[in-house]
Amino acid sequence: MQFYKYHGLGNDYLVYDFLKGNIEFSEELIKKVCDRNFGLGSDGILVGPIIENGCISVRIFNPDGSEAEKSGNGVRIFSKFLKDSGYVTDNSFQLKTLGGIVDVKYNNL
């Protein structure tokens, strides 16, 4: 299980590259991984990219194991990961979250 750890404006998230492995994240596993004393420690886990019908999606999990609809810092962090990993090469794209579509535009990359 490989994670990437990113930080953005006071939040730290673990990113799990869904295209390089397909782990089912249970509530119990998420709690263990996010635990700051006994796990890796984070404010949540971002799982993706999930590509459906030409659209990139991300699943955002809170440290208590629940799934969030959207997170501003989570979207920011995941977008940086997508650019760093070469999954996105354009300066803008749309990212699908449980809470809807987010228009992402890179300003300083």
Side-chain angles (χ1 to χ4, degrees), residues 11-59:
N11 290 119
D12 60 331
Y13 278 89
L14 297 170
V15 179
Y16 178 75
D17 190 333
F18 185 76
L19 296 178
K20 293 184 179 175
N22 190 359
I23 293 174
E24 186 63 36
F25 285 92
S26 66
E27 183 178 320
E28 181 182 342
L29 178 59
I30 293 165
K31 287 179 181 181
K32 286 181 181 179
V33 170
C34 291
D35 187 281
R36 295 207 181 267
N37 296 308
F38 301 105
L40 297 174
S42 75
D43 292 314
I45 300 175
L46 307 170
V47 178
I50 302 163
I51 301 173
E52 302 172 272
N53 300 323
C55 186
I56 299 174
S57 299
V58 62
R59 295 184 71 190

Side-chain angles (χ1 to χ4, degrees), residues 42-108:
S42 75
D43 292 314
I45 300 175
L46 307 170
V47 178
I50 302 163
I51 301 173
E52 302 172 272
N53 300 323
C55 186
I56 299 174
S57 299
V58 62
R59 295 184 71 190
I60 304 167
F61 292 102
N62 296 312
D64 67 1
S66 63
E67 188 167 1
E69 287 188 6
K70 201 179 292 185
S71 162
N73 282 339
V75 166
R76 180 182 294 109
I77 288 167
F78 191 70
S79 298
K80 175 76 167 113
F81 165 77
L82 291 173
K83 193 70 145 179
D84 289 349
S85 301
Y87 289 122
V88 172
T89 56
D90 294 335
N91 285 331
S92 64
F93 74 102
Q94 290 189 320
L95 179 65
K96 184 177 176 186
T97 69
L98 190 59
I101 300 290
V102 178
D103 291 317
V104 176
K105 181 178 178 184
Y106 298 102
N107 292 322
N108 297 322

